[in-house]
Amino acid sequence: MSGLYSLEFEQRKNYLYAHLASESVSVAVIEGYTREIAKKMDEIGATHVLVYRDIPNSLPISEVYQTALESLERLRGKKLAIVNPYVEIEKDLEFGLTVGKNRGGNYNI
């Protein structure tokens, strides 16, 4: 856990569940939580993760693109699904996942 966000894990039968919460998002937040998720997945041998993303905003689209590329390296070979309760940022998140999918990521929202 970081001072910028909270991240809690539950190991479930066939996947890792991660509850992510923050008041806002930044490049540092994304770098931090993707590193933590990848590390936890490696520790327990998980290949699938479901992230409940409780963050009410997204980055500017140019930063979404860049962080998607960087996150792809950390999450390569892992299946990622995101639950987003904030409809107003759905398109931004879909764009980031599409960037990852187009480069070999196995992502869904």
Side-chain angles (χ1 to χ4, degrees), residues 47-61:
T47 57
H48 295 66
V49 62
L50 174 64
V51 178
Y52 184 89
R53 185 190 184 277
D54 187 5
I55 303 175
N57 60 354
S58 65
L59 295 173
I61 205 73

Side-chain angles (χ1 to χ4, degrees), residues 9-49:
F9 296 111
E10 290 178 28
Q11 187 172 352
R12 302 220 173 143
K13 185 176 180 183
N14 295 315
Y15 65 95
L16 176 65
Y17 172 79
H19 185 265
L20 169 66
S22 182
E23 291 182 14
S24 64
V25 72
S26 67
V27 172
V29 166
I30 294 170
E31 288 175 354
Y33 77 70
T34 57
R35 284 183 204 286
E36 283 191 62
I37 289 170
K39 180 180 176 187
K40 184 67 172 181
M41 292 180 79
D42 289 343
E43 285 175 7
I44 66 171
T47 57
H48 295 66
V49 62

Side-chain angles (χ1 to χ4, degrees), residues 65 69 72 94-107:
Y65 179 83
L69 292 179
L72 179 62
E94 286 176 354
F95 174 73
L97 292 177
T98 298
V99 169
K101 282 187 212 180
N102 288 344
R103 285 149 185 85
N106 193 352
Y107 304 152

Side-chain angles (χ1 to χ4, degrees), residues 3 10 19 21 24 27 41 54 56 66 71 73 76 80 87 96 109:
E10 290 178 28
H19 185 265
S24 64
V27 172
M41 292 180 79
D54 187 5
Q66 190 59 38
S71 297
E73 290 307 310
R76 187 162 306 282
L80 168 70
V87 175
I109 191 164

